[in-house]
Amino acid sequence: MNIEKNIQQLFEKRQDIPLFYIESGSRLWGMASPDSDYDVRGFHLPSKDQYFDYKKYRDLIEIMDGDFDFVSYDLDKMFGLLAKSNPTVLEWVRAHIVYFNAFPEWQTFRDGLIERVDYSALYHHYLSLAKGGMKVMQTADNFTYKKVFYSIRGLMSAELATQEVMPELLITDLFAQVSEHDPLRHWAEDYLEIKKQQKEKAQLPEVEQAAILNLLEIKIEQLAAKEMQKADRREGLACYLTEYSRHLKQYYY
């Protein structure tokens, strides 16, 4: 699939200004299944007419066309989430699979943003993500390789956040950040290739479910003992984003 062409064709029909688009989800994390979609994410500036109009317009673009799953936030929505150190959009900013980038001084912006991140937001998000995945996998026909690996990834990322270490996006790089003696890492490394060969809804064999569930629960208990308090970085991050927002809008409008 030619993602760059799809993005180009999409904006040929619109007046919005595309800024930055990446691949997210399982393809970004290096654990895609044969039937995984292309989850393209990023952000744009509204058209000049919309920006100067008094009326409110929708702050996102959503397109689902076969395997092409596209979501774009407008700059204000994107920066509002970044101001809260939202881990999902931080992953977009940190992505290594980039399809389109018209954001001036991107590397400078990205580096300054990551320096100001509140790691407690990452900790709570990734821990919640893992717990949610575990709840779902224990309901009927939902104990999938996909759910298990999403939970593993969440718990490893939460653990690194407690150390104020930015979790890597590529799953094999994430493993390398975790202790080589971690039983969860051993399990995940053994099963990663199996997961990548399975379809999205493939179930983990019943005989193996209890073992991985036990490893996940142990990791959750360990993390619960490391409860993180919110860092006082929000004001500095907000000022940083305000400055870049002005810079970008002056550049384009």
Side-chain angles (χ1 to χ4, degrees):
M1 180 177 287
N2 190 330
I3 302 296
E4 291 88 346
K5 189 176 179 182
N6 281 15
I7 295 168
Q8 182 186 349
Q9 289 175 341
L10 171 64
F11 282 97
E12 279 173 359
K13 301 169 188 172
R14 308 181 64 96
Q15 292 183 317
D16 309 282
I17 303 162
L19 290 176
F20 182 76
Y21 295 98
I22 56 89
E23 182 66 35
S24 72
S26 58
R27 290 183 186 276
L28 178 66
W29 305 328
M31 53 188 209
S33 300
D35 58 340
S36 292
D37 289 342
Y38 288 85
D39 297 321
V40 182
R41 302 289 183 266
F43 56 107
H44 63 277
L45 277 167
S47 68
K48 202 169 181 178
D49 286 345
Q50 285 187 15
Y51 178 69
F52 287 106
D53 197 350
Y54 73 92
K55 295 191 289 292
K56 285 282 183 189
Y57 291 85
R58 196 160 186 246
D59 56 8
L60 78 159
I61 303 166
E62 291 177 291
I63 306 288
M64 187 71 196
D65 184 7
D67 289 341
F68 182 63
D69 180 353
F70 179 89
V71 176
S72 179
Y73 293 161
D74 77 14
L75 183 76
D76 292 351
K77 183 180 181 72
M78 181 75 177
F79 274 23
L81 290 166
L82 288 174
K84 298 173 184 174
S85 295
N86 179 283
T88 300
V89 293
L90 276 170
E91 287 193 10
W92 302 359
V93 168
R94 295 164 51 227
H96 52 273
I97 305 175
V98 180
Y99 296 123
F100 181 91
N101 188 356
F103 190 110
E105 301 158 14
W106 174 255
Q107 195 64 43
T108 304
F109 166 75
R110 181 182 176 276
D111 292 348
L113 177 71
I114 290 168
E115 283 171 16
R116 294 165 172 81
V117 163
D118 175 4
Y119 280 91
S120 70
L122 272 67
Y123 166 81
H124 290 293
H125 169 86
Y126 285 121
L127 186 56
S128 173
L129 199 71
K131 286 179 176 178
M134 286 173 67
K135 272 187 183 176
V136 171
M137 74 174 70
Q138 291 175 79
T139 60
D141 300 325
N142 274 310
F143 212 116
T144 62
Y145 285 91
K146 179 178 179 177
K147 286 281 187 294
V148 170
F149 270 89
Y150 278 23
S151 292
I152 289 171
R153 182 179 170 272
L155 292 176
M156 288 182 174
S157 297
E159 184 172 43
L160 289 162
T162 67
Q163 304 159 28
E164 298 215 342
V165 172
M166 188 62 72
E168 292 288 346
L169 298 176
L170 199 60
I171 192 82
T172 48
D173 292 342
L174 181 65
F175 293 160
Q177 290 180 293
V178 174
S179 168
E180 60 183 328
H181 305 297
D182 188 326
L184 199 56
R185 172 180 170 176
H186 288 166
W187 189 96
E189 287 180 324
D190 288 345
Y191 280 85
L192 179 60
E193 286 308 313
I194 297 171
K195 189 268 174 216
K196 286 158 74 172
Q197 291 162 23
Q198 303 291 332
K199 292 195 172 182
E200 293 271 297
K201 294 183 179 178
Q203 304 275 318
L204 201 71
E206 272 189 49
V207 291
E208 294 160 27
Q209 291 178 11
I212 185 57
L213 210 51
N214 182 52
L215 290 178
L216 291 168
E217 285 167 350
I218 289 169
K219 182 65 77 176
I220 282 178
E221 284 176 19
Q222 292 170 349
L223 286 170
K226 299 179 181 179
E227 182 70 28
M228 285 186 79
Q229 300 302 315
K230 283 192 176 182
D232 189 21
R233 296 181 184 172
R234 198 154 176 176
E235 191 175 335
L237 181 53
C239 290
Y240 181 76
L241 291 165
T242 296
E243 186 181 321
Y244 256 93
S245 177
R246 285 177 180 155
H247 173 65
L248 270 173
K249 288 169 180 174
Q250 286 167 353
Y251 182 89
Y252 278 105
Y253 295 138

